[in-house]
Amino acid sequence: MQKLNPKLLSTLNDDHLRNLSWMEQSNADVLVHSNEIPHGYVVPVHSHRRTQLLCVFAGVVLVATARGRWMIPPGHALLIPRGLEHSVEMYSDVSMRSVYILSPHGRAEASAPVVLEVSALAHHLLADAIRLKDEEGDGRREDLVMALLLDEIERLTEQPLGLPFPASGRLAALCRDFIERPVPGAKIDDWARRLNMSRRSFTRFFREETGVSFATWRQQACIFACMPRLANGEAVTTVAIDAGYESVPAFITMFKRMLGASPRTYFTARQATV
């Protein structure tokens, strides 16, 4: 992780606390906020009384909770339920916009995080809402924009960019190491041996901890680990080879199976939206 100088880190932490205080003190049903945050900053673990839609306009962020991690590339947003403790790590310089919703209706009733693809309309409405909140006016246009934005949020498409994460310390450590250094051909027997478990016991334990099979988690984790580099424009060939794939077509096939398009098509579409 990139290290920030102490002065900048202190300023970013102060900004975070000020934003939390502003949210908690406001009685408005919907709030919007804009952030430009440098690579390497980690928003400390926190929660809020509002449901948050965290939208990434540029860069890649990782939102982590006790039981899962969600990678948010450009053109996507994470719906974070009210009261859920989470941290936010910047995997590059990031431009974020957030919607904070007080009323527990529609998607704001969510009990678990979900990644959503931000439509062009939602993108423009949110940008307009951010601009209008700082302008003097009668508030009528702002109300109309907010109402349409909330309606559009209900229509956003879900994307499978969440990664289940185990609660067990030893297994969690193996999973973290895998994300840092993905190995597509990692074997169940190797992981079971490292935890001093039989193959059958490990298979059962892994599913109990994550809710998915080891093979499924491994595929998702590989995509998860590669997303920041792909979003930053690195060549698919380089990323695939560094991730341990024997061939680029194999990597592209796995990517398409999970996200419905090749890496090039996927990220070109995302950048066009933002």
Side-chain angles (χ1 to χ4, degrees):
M1 181 194 307
Q2 179 171 308
K3 296 215 172 176
L4 302 175
N5 70 65
K7 184 176 180 181
L8 177 57
L9 183 60
S10 177
T11 298
L12 292 168
N13 284 336
D14 288 344
D15 287 345
H16 167 63
L17 292 175
R18 223 174 359 255
N19 185 43
L20 279 179
S21 176
W22 165 69
M23 280 192 295
E24 292 303 311
Q25 293 175 17
S26 174
N27 290 320
D29 186 50
V30 184
L31 299 172
V32 292
H33 188 65
S34 175
N35 295 91
E36 308 296 325
I37 307 179
H39 178 203
Y41 181 61
V42 180
V43 180
V45 175
H46 66 287
S47 64
H48 21 73
R49 67 188 179 111
R50 298 169 180 268
T51 296
Q52 178 185 8
L53 186 73
L54 188 160
C55 304
V56 179
F57 278 21
V60 176
V61 305
L62 175 71
V63 179
T65 72
R67 294 308 304 267
R69 296 186 175 201
W70 289 263
M71 185 70 74
I72 320 298
H76 291 77
L78 182 68
L79 193 70
I80 304 173
R82 67 193 71 231
L84 178 67
E85 291 195 337
H86 60 282
S87 63
V88 185
E89 181 177 347
M90 313 304 146
Y91 268 52
S92 60
D93 291 341
V94 171
S95 179
M96 292 193 306
R97 307 292 183 267
S98 288
V99 184
Y100 299 98
I101 307 169
L102 188 59
S103 299
H105 302 301
R107 274 194 157 138
E109 293 182 282
S111 59
V114 58
V115 179
L116 302 171
E117 184 174 354
V118 178
S119 64
L121 177 57
H123 173 92
H124 291 302
L125 287 169
L126 183 48
D128 207 27
I130 295 289
R131 179 181 60 79
L132 287 170
K133 81 166 187 171
D134 297 324
E135 292 184 355
E136 295 291 334
D138 60 11
R140 179 175 177 276
R141 178 177 173 81
E142 184 177 0
D143 290 342
L144 291 171
V145 168
M146 288 292 196
L148 186 54
L149 175 59
L150 291 178
D151 183 75
E152 183 65 9
I153 287 172
E154 298 299 314
R155 302 168 186 267
L156 301 182
T157 304
E158 294 186 17
Q159 288 286 358
L161 294 175
L163 188 69
F165 218 71
S168 168
R170 291 191 303 159
L171 182 55
L174 288 180
C175 290
R176 279 193 295 270
D177 288 345
F178 186 91
I179 293 171
E180 292 295 329
R181 295 174 294 277
V183 181
K187 307 296 185 185
I188 288 180
D189 291 335
D190 294 336
W191 283 47
R193 192 177 305 112
R194 293 175 68 179
L195 294 183
N196 296 317
M197 302 174 73
S198 69
R199 179 188 177 93
R200 177 177 294 181
S201 295
F202 175 82
T203 299
R204 183 172 60 250
F205 176 60
F206 193 93
R207 186 176 285 277
E208 288 173 351
E209 285 286 312
T210 65
V212 297
S213 70
F214 176 77
T216 297
W217 187 91
R218 183 184 61 197
Q219 287 184 336
Q220 292 176 339
C222 279
I223 285 291
F224 197 86
C226 294
M227 288 292 280
R229 296 178 61 185
L230 293 169
N232 285 333
E234 289 196 43
V236 174
T237 299
T238 301
V239 174
I241 292 173
D242 288 351
Y245 278 82
E246 294 183 358
S247 72
V248 176
F251 175 79
I252 293 175
T253 296
M254 184 270 293
F255 193 100
K256 290 175 68 175
R257 185 181 302 126
M258 285 193 61
L259 294 174
S262 69
R264 185 183 302 277
T265 300
Y266 184 84
F267 284 103
T268 297
R270 302 292 84 70
Q271 294 294 353
T273 299
V274 299

